[in-house]
């Protein structure tokens, strides 16, 4: 089990690296750095040397070979391939140990679908809908891996010594519905951010709070969700200024809504959380939310600097991952009941936050009292 846990942790970190490399590839306009798939100009490495560049130019005379973009694209593919092998190892190991097989199967199916989306991203010349699906698929993969790692940690904690059995969070369970709403809001905001990026609308507006003067007259909600189809290539975007501006403004409005809703949820959780683990998770999500807001403001003021934009993607992925794990923890801790043999000490039970555990102790005590009548 220890090796399986290490494998899952490694794959989780590797997924973050792939997400960061994917954002870097997209933001450096290297999504079509290699016009074919899975190779690059007919080979399985980027054309870096002069004779490789000349050979690639001869095979693709209608394209301008850019070694820098080709290298970025192939590096992303190599690491993504390694990620696929790691997920396959998780799938095989889960069937060997006969645990976590459903999550492992979902991971394998998702990574196969991600490979197909990566292929379609190239063959369909950066069709925004496909690029967005590829981005959301990477975020989903990260969340599933985090859930798997959290399940392993939970099982270990359940088998720990009595001193560590402070799991119950009855008050947080009342916020589960609110948390699900927050999750939907966050996913919608991430999708809007991806839609902004894939349509090359990130640098359209550079004034606060929304856009340049007169944006209200040009804003069109219909153009926000318009699917640009039928173009030969979608590199550098095909939508007019009004459509890009509408997408950008929608993302900013979504950021404000997300900040308010997510912030209210975190405040409510902070007031109700009882265990140190859950409180630390609330603090971590709060810091990530503030960091994400700061990175978004820097993107606007500094006109989307590369590394800041990459960080904006990575922080969004981490924020979504932590929220998913947090909601899962709420569900797991809602109905925690400990057997009498692993109950915490009486001094711990006497505190108000252990009222649920106290009731279980009383039930066990009465059930074990012999009938003297």
């Amino acid at each position: 089990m220890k090796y399986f846990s290490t494998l899952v942790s490694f794959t989780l970190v590797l997924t973050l690296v792939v997400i960061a490399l994917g954002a870097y590839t997209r933001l450096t306009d290297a999504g079509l750095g290699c016009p074919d798939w899975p190779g690059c100009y007919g080979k399985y490495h980027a054309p870096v040397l002069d004779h490789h560049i000349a050979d690639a130019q001869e095979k693709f005379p209608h394209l301008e070979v850019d070694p820098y973009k080709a290298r970025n694209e192939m590096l992303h593919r190599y690491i993504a391939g390694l990620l696929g092998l790691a997920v396959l190892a998780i799938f095989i190991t889960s069937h060997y140990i006969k645990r976590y097989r459903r999550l492992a199967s979902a991971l394998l199916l998702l990574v196969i679908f991600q490979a197909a989306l990566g292929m379609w991203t190239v063959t369909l010349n950066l069709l925004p809908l496909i690029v967005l699906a590829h981005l959301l698929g990477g975020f989903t993969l990260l969340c599933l891996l985090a859930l798997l790692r959290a399940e392993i940690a939970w099982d270990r904690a359940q088998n720990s010594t009595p001193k560590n059995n402070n799991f119950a969070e009855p008050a947080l369970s009342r916020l589960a519905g609110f948390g699900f709403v927050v999750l939907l809001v966050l996913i919608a905001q991430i999708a809007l951010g991806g839609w902004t990026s894939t349509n090359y609308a990130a640098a359209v507006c550079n004034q606060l709070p929304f856009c340049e003067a007169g944006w209200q007259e040009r804003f069109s909600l219909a153009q926000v969700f318009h699917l640009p189809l039928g173009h030969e290539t979608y590199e550098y975007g095909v939508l007019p200024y009004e459509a890009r501006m509408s997408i950008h403004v929608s993302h900013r409005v979504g950021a404000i809504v997300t900040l308010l809703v997510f912030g209210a949820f975190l405040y409510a959780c902070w007031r109700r959380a009882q265990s140190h683990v859950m409180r630390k998770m609330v603090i971590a999500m709060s810091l990530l939310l503030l960091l994400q807001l700061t990175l978004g403001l820097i993107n606007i003021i500094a006109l989307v600097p590369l590394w800041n934009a990459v960080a904006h993607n990575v922080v969004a992925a981490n924020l979504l991952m932590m929220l998913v794990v947090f909601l899962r923890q709420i569900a797991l801790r809602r109905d925690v009941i400990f057997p009498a043999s692993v109950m915490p000490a009486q001094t711990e039970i006497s505190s108000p936050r252990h009222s649920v555990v106290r009731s279980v102790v009383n039930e066990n005590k009465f059930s074990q009292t012999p009938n003297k009548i």
Side-chain angles (χ1 to χ4, degrees):
M1 182 61 69
K2 179 181 178 181
Y3 297 107
F4 184 68
S5 176
T6 302
L7 174 61
V8 173
S9 298
F10 168 76
T11 309
L12 182 65
V13 174
L14 191 62
T15 304
L16 273 175
V17 173
V18 171
I19 288 174
L21 284 174
Y24 184 80
T25 301
R26 185 173 66 256
L27 292 164
T28 54
D29 300 322
L32 292 179
C34 297
D36 47 345
W37 191 95
C40 189
Y41 292 98
K43 299 184 181 297
Y44 286 97
H45 59 81
V48 178
L49 301 177
D50 291 341
H51 65 281
H52 289 154
I53 297 173
D55 184 52
Q57 195 66 71
E58 183 179 353
K59 290 182 178 179
F60 295 83
H62 59 291
L63 298 176
E64 181 180 353
V65 179
D66 189 327
Y68 171 72
K69 292 183 178 182
R71 185 174 61 237
N72 291 348
E73 173 66 8
M74 286 308 293
L75 177 62
H76 177 57
R77 293 186 191 179
Y78 291 148
I79 305 300
L82 178 61
L83 174 60
L85 293 176
V87 170
L88 178 61
I90 290 175
F91 174 78
I92 294 173
T93 307
S94 71
H95 281 71
Y96 176 76
I97 65 176
K98 297 181 180 180
R99 301 188 70 180
Y100 314 113
R101 286 179 284 189
R102 288 185 179 180
L103 264 176
S105 300
L107 284 167
L108 183 62
L109 291 174
L110 180 57
V111 83
I112 293 173
F113 185 56
Q114 273 292 91
L117 287 172
M119 176 187 68
W120 295 330
T121 296
V122 176
T123 57
L124 296 178
N125 295 317
L126 304 182
L127 179 66
L129 190 61
I130 296 298
V131 178
L132 175 60
H134 196 43
L135 170 70
L136 295 178
F139 281 33
T140 305
L141 185 64
L142 180 71
C143 291
L144 289 180
L145 283 165
L147 281 176
L148 177 56
R149 185 64 184 85
E151 292 291 328
I152 296 171
W154 175 259
D155 290 343
R156 284 182 177 178
Q158 290 288 74
N159 297 323
S160 63
T161 59
K163 294 181 180 179
N164 296 326
N165 278 328
N166 182 20
F167 297 136
E169 290 282 358
L172 279 179
S173 64
R174 302 168 192 164
L175 297 174
F178 188 11
F180 183 72
V181 172
V182 175
L183 178 62
L184 293 179
V185 170
L186 182 59
I187 292 173
Q189 175 61 6
I190 290 173
L192 270 175
W195 193 241
T196 302
S197 177
T198 56
N199 283 287
Y200 298 85
V204 169
C205 301
N206 57 11
Q207 292 186 10
L208 295 170
F210 296 107
C211 200
E212 287 75 24
W215 67 267
Q216 296 93 333
E217 291 77 15
R218 299 182 178 183
F219 180 83
S220 172
L221 191 61
Q223 294 193 69
V224 173
F225 302 103
H226 172 69
L227 298 178
L229 300 174
H231 297 269
E232 184 176 347
T233 181
Y234 298 87
E235 192 173 21
Y236 307 118
V238 297
L239 295 177
Y241 171 81
E242 288 75 13
R244 299 191 199 196
M245 182 272 297
S246 299
I247 293 172
H248 186 109
V249 170
S250 298
H251 183 50
R252 290 201 195 182
V253 173
I256 296 173
V257 173
T258 303
L259 178 65
L260 294 176
V261 174
F262 208 153
F265 175 69
L266 292 174
Y267 177 72
C269 289
W270 175 257
R271 294 192 61 185
R272 290 166 174 79
Q274 298 174 355
S275 64
H276 292 297
V277 172
M278 299 299 276
R279 281 179 168 266
K280 286 181 179 179
M281 290 186 69
V282 171
I283 293 173
M285 287 189 290
S286 301
L287 293 176
L288 284 174
L289 185 62
L290 292 175
L291 177 59
Q292 185 71 344
L293 175 64
T294 303
L295 292 172
L297 291 173
I298 294 174
N299 272 342
I300 295 170
I301 297 171
L303 294 179
V304 197
L306 176 59
W307 290 107
N308 188 84
V310 172
H312 197 52
N313 280 260
V314 173
V315 172
N318 278 278
L319 193 57
L320 178 63
M321 174 189 69
M322 289 208 65
L323 178 59
V324 169
V325 173
F326 186 78
L327 294 177
R328 176 57 178 162
Q329 286 293 307
I330 290 178
L332 289 172
R333 294 166 185 265
R334 178 172 49 201
D335 301 316
V336 174
I337 298 178
F338 304 115
S341 59
V342 295
M343 288 304 300
Q346 183 65 34
T347 55
E348 296 178 355
I349 297 173
S350 61
S351 63
R353 70 174 59 176
H354 293 88
S355 58
V356 173
V357 178
R358 188 192 302 116
S359 65
V360 176
V361 173
N362 293 334
E363 290 176 8
N364 289 336
K365 180 176 66 177
F366 291 125
S367 64
Q368 295 173 7
T369 302
N371 189 349
K372 296 182 179 180
I373 299 177

